[in-house]
Amino acid sequence: MSGSMFSALAALIGFAVTALLGFVMIPFLRKLKFGQTIREDGPQWHQSKQGTPTMGGLMFIIGFVAAMAICFPIFMKVVGGETNTTVTKIVAGMILACGMGLCGFLDDFISIKKHRNLGLTEIQKLILQFAFAIIYLVSIRMAGGTSEMLIPFAGVVDLGIFYYIISAVFIVGMVNAVNFADGIDGLNASVTFVVCLCFMVTAFIMGQIGWTVFSASAAGACIGFLVWNFNPAKVFMGDTGSLFLGGIVCAIAFGLNIPVLLILFGIVYICEILSVVLQVSYFKATKGKRIFKMSPIHHHFELCGWNEVKICMVFSLVALIFGVISILLVLFGL
């Protein structure tokens, strides 16, 4: 069985497990009264979503882990060829993503119990996120990883100790950027599906079949979740899911040693978090004026009259265009 077939199988398992879990998980979350608390300052029509089950990210976390647990060991036995460092990076990447998901789970659980749209404090979340990022980077270093980074048009550059400082900050920043892309039905899952699909192609081109399987598992799980999360959503992923997805895209980018290209692969995430930073900074500087009608930027387009399906399609298309650009940079060795 070839690497591409393993990837297809991983995507299928990720999709099937996640989609089927919806029949069990959604009624269970509803029974526990784990409903979403909608922001009062958000679009008024979002108030109709009040009480929709959240923490649905558990569905695709389980789907992804199941796909990897089934496919990766078989792949290693049948095909093999992966170095110990690569295997460690893949396992550490799974732990990084699940750790970020745990951070989101605690945030969701506390906010649900307190019946408010606020769980962990910002400081508490940052401490946890940096802890998981540091554990990830240390484990990679102990497994033989280097401080070298592939930078487009510059080649491989050894950043020394600064690699770990920059990487920790970058991981935490990107994880939170992915979190900001969650706010309307299907947006985060559809964009992340495209990002993981592009990463899958990139890993295949680079001959990193283990990461091809990893990316395919995540992409399949995202599609499985969209069965239930696409507008009108029957369940939300919550911070449990969005922070997990942030960990996933970071793990793939660092695993392939192209974290700089995550700026292109994850352009939608970058725009989401930048829109918040710009909005808040401009609001404070001008004492009340705004650049956007509302941030993150998907809400701006929503208030401009775009429906949620259109926003998902356009944002996913943007992610695809920049993903293809990134693939071409890798393909031509730039």
Side-chain angles (χ1 to χ4, degrees), residues 84 157 199:
N84 290 335
V157 179
F199 268 132

Side-chain angles (χ1 to χ4, degrees), residues 164-188:
Y164 301 99
I165 298 172
I166 295 170
S167 295
V169 173
F170 185 78
I171 289 171
V172 172
M174 183 56 69
V175 165
N176 284 289
V178 176
N179 186 37
F180 277 118
D182 187 36
I184 63 175
D185 298 355
L187 179 60
N188 207 340

Side-chain angles (χ1 to χ4, degrees), residues 142-216:
M142 292 178 66
T146 69
S147 55
E148 295 178 342
M149 183 182 296
L150 179 61
I151 300 176
F153 305 106
V156 177
V157 179
D158 192 338
L159 300 176
I161 188 63
F162 294 104
Y163 171 86
Y164 301 99
I165 298 172
I166 295 170
S167 295
V169 173
F170 185 78
I171 289 171
V172 172
M174 183 56 69
V175 165
N176 284 289
V178 176
N179 186 37
F180 277 118
D182 187 36
I184 63 175
D185 298 355
L187 179 60
N188 207 340
S190 58
V191 168
T192 304
F193 162 72
V194 172
V195 172
C196 288
L197 190 65
C198 291
F199 268 132
M200 183 182 73
V201 174
T202 303
F204 185 80
I205 291 171
M206 297 175 71
Q208 298 280 352
I209 306 304
W211 286 108
T212 305
V213 174
F214 189 103
S215 303

